[in-house]
Amino acid sequence: MTYRADYLPTEPTRSAVEAMPGRVLLEFGAPWCGHCQGAQAAIRDVIARMPGLTHLKVEDGKGRPLGRAFGVRLWPTLVLLEQGQERARAVRPVTANALHDALAVASPPDH
């Protein structure tokens, strides 16, 4: 999957996300968040470097259970899952290289 520009219309459940096969990148944020908007170029670049990745852009906020289930406190927060297990996390990434380094810990180069 490629970079997803829009937030999902409906928030998935944690069990649905954990049941997804392969690598899933959850991006928690809000459309009006300046930090989220500023990180989009870095996120887009890193997603292009990680083939086979499923990108889910989840709008977070009060009353949103998925973000609470993952302990999200700042936006954007990116959580990399592999086979339903959290492998890496990046909070408020600024550059593509910093984000890639944070997420690459979980992903061998041959992925």
Side-chain angles (χ1 to χ4, degrees), residues 3 40-50 96-97 100:
Y3 168 79
Q40 293 311 297
I43 294 167
R44 207 173 21 255
D45 181 63
V46 167
I47 289 170
R49 296 188 213 178
M50 299 177 78
N97 287 338
H100 185 265

Side-chain angles (χ1 to χ4, degrees), residues 9-107:
T10 305
E11 178 180 288
T13 64
R14 182 167 184 154
S15 60
V17 170
E18 289 175 341
M20 296 178 79
R23 294 181 299 156
V24 177
L25 182 63
L26 298 172
E27 176 189 343
F28 292 97
W32 50 264
C33 169
H35 293 287
C36 302
Q37 294 166 4
Q40 293 311 297
I43 294 167
R44 207 173 21 255
D45 181 63
V46 167
I47 289 170
R49 296 188 213 178
M50 299 177 78
L53 182 72
T54 298
H55 176 222
L56 300 179
K57 196 168 189 168
V58 180
E59 188 171 347
D60 191 38
K62 187 174 182 177
R64 302 283 180 131
L66 190 60
R68 302 303 65 76
F70 280 96
V72 173
R73 295 184 188 263
L74 297 172
W75 301 329
T77 292
L78 292 98
V79 178
L80 180 66
L81 304 176
E82 288 187 289
Q83 306 305 332
Q85 299 297 310
E86 183 173 337
R87 298 291 183 221
R89 180 179 291 240
V91 179
R92 288 200 176 161
V94 177
T95 67
N97 287 338
L99 177 56
H100 185 265
D101 289 350
L103 299 180
V105 171
S107 303

